[in-house]
Amino acid sequence: MPDWPNERDRPSRGTESVRIALARLGPQTQQVQTSGSSATTLTSRFLPVICAAIAVGIFVADTVTPAEIAFGVLYVGVVLPAARFLQWRGVVLATLGCMALTVLSHVLSPHEQSLSIAVANRLISLVTIGVAGFIAVQGQFRELVLREQASLLDLTHDTIFVRDMDDVIVYWNRGAEELYGWKKAEAIGNVTHQLLQTVFPVPLEEITAGLLRTGRWQGELVHTKKDGTPAMVASRWSLQRDARGHPAATLETNNDITERKRVEDLTGQVFESSPDGIAVIGRDYRFQRVNPVYERIWQIRADGFVGQHVGDLLGTEFFEQEVKPYLDRCLTGEGVSFAGWFAYPVGRRYRVVSYWPLRLHSEQVEAALAIVRDLTEHALASEALQAAQAELAHVNRVTTMGQLTASIAHEVNQPIAAVVTNADAALNWLNAQPPNLDQVREILGQIANDGNRAGDVIGRIRTLIKKAPPRRGRFDLNEAILEVIALARSEVLKHGVSLQTGLATGLPAVDGDRVQLQQVILNLILNAVEAMSGVDEGAREVLISTEADAAGGVLATVRDSGMGLDQNDADRLFEAFYTTKPEGMGMGLAICRSIIAAHGGRLWATANEPRGAVLQFTLPPESDETARAEPTDRAPVV
């Protein structure tokens, strides 16, 4: 049996079971199937009359002929033709009738010689007639079985036809009619390759030689239908031989794969023309196929890839530690992706690498599809954008510090004034007679505390205005808020605002850049204070609160009792250059939203009741997986 390349290309059970039967029927079967000519009709109509006349003639001749002649054997000429128009029961009755006529002839005929010879001749005639009837009935049964088996070929969806050694079609099933468009009467008698305009993968002579040598051939052919459209088929040829072993006919079974080939061609075009590097890696970690982009990435031709082990390309140690875990996850059915800067023969590139499982004809993953997407330009642009955003955020912080000059001076002057006052008091205690050293020690301790207070204020200012790249880490958001409040306290008091806090305890630590998030908090506090500068009636209050949100992160809220906002314009507050302040630039809240978004959170505004505004932002819970920071000299991956 041939090994079919695809399970759906395997012939149906009916096709296999009647393959031999169809060959045995040969052209005679086809002649019966295509009967309908006038000559055949006339023969089938008058054959019973002819047989009856022959039977009467034999009976008369047998009766008048001496019994010593076995004239009754001529009834075979009646029984065998009767099988052409009678069913098996009719053949049996015809046989019994001929045998009865033989016995009747024996009774009526003269017996000029011995009776024993006459009886022996009659017995010979009866046996001959019985054997002829048996053969006729058996032939009918055999032909019936063959016809039933051959009729199964019309039930299969495959196209099946038989052609003789001159490639002339002698059988054409219903599947062939449906696929090609020609009916049986139109196809039979035509040379198959001329009718179908067959396009062969190799010369026909070569195919025929292989067919005669092995008895079978299989491959893909292009046929042309009756309407002129092409049909790609998976074709299987089986050579049928006669009783002497000579080639008699070829059974051709075709399965339409036009749509499948079209999809394969489109897939191949995608594979070859994709802007991404694509490779197929087998379960043995060896390359099975790569596309041109993949060749350019590695500066290796495709034939150098196919069959090569991934470990041989990357190095065994790096493959085992870095790449194999990802491939193993993919080969168990999981799609995996990772990204970063990698060093390739073409230089340092930022690439996203994905492994996707490939399943062909079973549930088992048979290979991994590796897709390498180059995002170097995007990454460089993103880095440039981040640098610009960081620079803009730094400018915003410096500008904010300028606005807080009076508040900062007040915060610094307070401990400095206390230091001067305490220093004068210490000198007085030292000049006393005797000197009061205990008082001096106490005052010196106060001086040290006031000096530390001034140093803390200056340190917080330096931290906020310092130009430095983003630095992520874990910290307590409540502590960061309290530091900002201490820095802005004088500004808050100057505007007659009451600042209250409602900081929840037991909050999880947040993961982010402390300075950037403090910048957001400071912007929100100053905006709230400025929003209440025009309020003449009622309390001027700002409430800063924190709590855990439903997702396990942290929710921070700054609530004021200022003039409020129109809910329809809530989102516009965060647009660049949109401002409600006469001298504002409209960048503060836009920068704040970009900072919060970069930390994986969300910043939004709503109206407060009965008046004022509420600005809130969320920070996600700390992730168990930190972002991958790829070194520039990281080894390449596939």
Side-chain angles (χ1 to χ4, degrees), residues 33-70:
Q33 291 181 342
T34 58
S35 64
S37 64
S38 58
T40 303
T41 303
L42 289 174
T43 300
S44 61
R45 181 179 301 174
F46 293 106
L47 190 57
V49 177
I50 295 172
C51 288
I54 292 174
V56 171
I58 293 173
F59 172 74
V60 173
D62 191 21
T63 302
V64 301
T65 301
E68 289 75 11
I69 299 175

Side-chain angles (χ1 to χ4, degrees), residues 28 117 135:
Q28 290 78 10
I117 295 177
I135 292 174

Side-chain angles (χ1 to χ4, degrees), residues 61-73 105-106 109-125:
D62 191 21
T63 302
V64 301
T65 301
E68 289 75 11
I69 299 175
F71 202 85
V73 296
S105 296
H106 175 73
S109 64
H111 301 286
E112 298 177 357
Q113 299 182 12
S114 65
L115 181 61
S116 59
I117 295 177
V119 171
N121 288 336
R122 297 303 177 182
L123 290 176
I124 292 174
S125 297

Side-chain angles (χ1 to χ4, degrees), residues 248-542:
T250 301
L251 174 68
E252 184 171 332
T253 304
N254 295 323
N255 178 257
D256 186 8
I257 58 172
T258 305
E259 186 63 23
R260 192 186 79 195
K261 293 298 293 185
R262 188 182 69 85
V263 173
E264 290 178 356
D265 290 341
L266 290 176
T267 304
Q269 292 179 28
V270 171
F271 189 90
E272 295 297 327
S273 62
S274 172
D276 299 328
I278 304 177
V280 178
I281 302 174
R283 296 187 65 86
D284 57 357
Y285 309 110
R286 295 185 181 276
F287 290 99
Q288 297 179 353
R289 185 179 178 184
V290 298
N291 74 338
V293 176
Y294 214 86
E295 297 179 51
R296 291 196 295 271
I297 290 175
W298 286 94
Q299 301 293 295
I300 299 175
R301 292 177 56 85
D303 52 7
F305 266 113
V306 175
Q308 183 178 186
H309 195 282
V310 177
D312 296 337
L313 182 68
L314 301 178
T316 302
E317 182 178 355
F318 181 77
F319 167 73
E320 293 289 340
Q321 295 178 359
E322 299 290 337
V323 178
K324 187 174 181 294
Y326 287 112
L327 283 174
D328 288 342
R329 287 169 58 186
C330 177
L331 293 173
T332 59
E334 178 184 358
V336 293
S337 299
F338 54 94
W341 287 97
F342 302 101
Y344 285 90
V346 294
R348 178 176 175 267
R349 311 296 293 177
Y350 186 91
R351 290 200 162 107
V352 178
V353 182
S354 301
Y355 295 144
W356 299 100
L358 291 178
R359 297 177 176 88
L360 299 180
H361 306 302
S362 65
E363 292 299 322
Q364 182 184 15
V365 178
E366 299 187 25
L369 180 68
I371 302 176
V372 181
R373 174 164 295 180
D374 192 331
L375 296 179
T376 303
E377 301 303 324
H378 174 80
L380 292 174
S382 178
E383 289 180 351
L385 178 60
Q386 291 175 2
Q389 289 177 336
E391 182 67 25
L392 185 59
H394 173 252
V395 172
N396 178 260
R397 289 198 300 271
V398 173
T399 303
T400 303
M401 291 298 102
Q403 295 173 356
L404 292 178
T405 300
S407 177
I408 292 170
H410 178 74
E411 288 295 317
V412 175
N413 283 335
Q414 275 191 329
I416 291 177
V419 168
V420 173
T421 301
N422 287 332
D424 289 340
L427 290 174
N428 290 333
W429 289 115
L430 287 174
N431 292 329
Q433 295 296 331
N436 192 337
L437 298 180
D438 292 336
Q439 290 291 337
V440 171
R441 291 189 186 94
E442 181 179 349
I443 288 176
L444 289 176
Q446 293 177 6
I447 290 174
N449 290 335
D450 289 334
N452 289 332
R453 281 178 56 198
D456 289 342
V457 173
I458 294 173
R460 286 194 291 269
I461 295 170
R462 290 183 62 187
T463 300
L464 282 173
I465 66 175
K466 182 179 180 181
K467 184 177 181 180
R471 182 178 301 172
R472 300 179 71 95
R474 296 182 60 193
F475 65 92
D476 188 330
L477 184 62
N478 287 342
E479 290 182 0
I481 291 174
L482 292 175
E483 291 176 0
V484 174
I485 291 175
L487 194 62
R489 179 171 50 202
S490 297
E491 186 73 11
V492 172
L493 294 176
K494 183 178 72 174
H495 287 81
V497 175
S498 172
L499 194 152
Q500 305 293 327
T501 59
L503 307 180
T505 59
L507 288 179
V510 297
D511 183 19
D513 186 288
R514 185 187 187 99
V515 172
Q516 288 187 348
L517 292 176
Q518 284 184 320
Q519 175 182 351
V520 172
I521 298 166
L522 181 59
N523 273 99
L524 297 184
I525 292 175
L526 295 181
N527 283 345
V529 171
E530 291 180 5
M532 290 183 291
S533 61
V535 176
D536 298 326
E537 299 179 357
R540 298 182 177 185
E541 297 178 342
V542 174

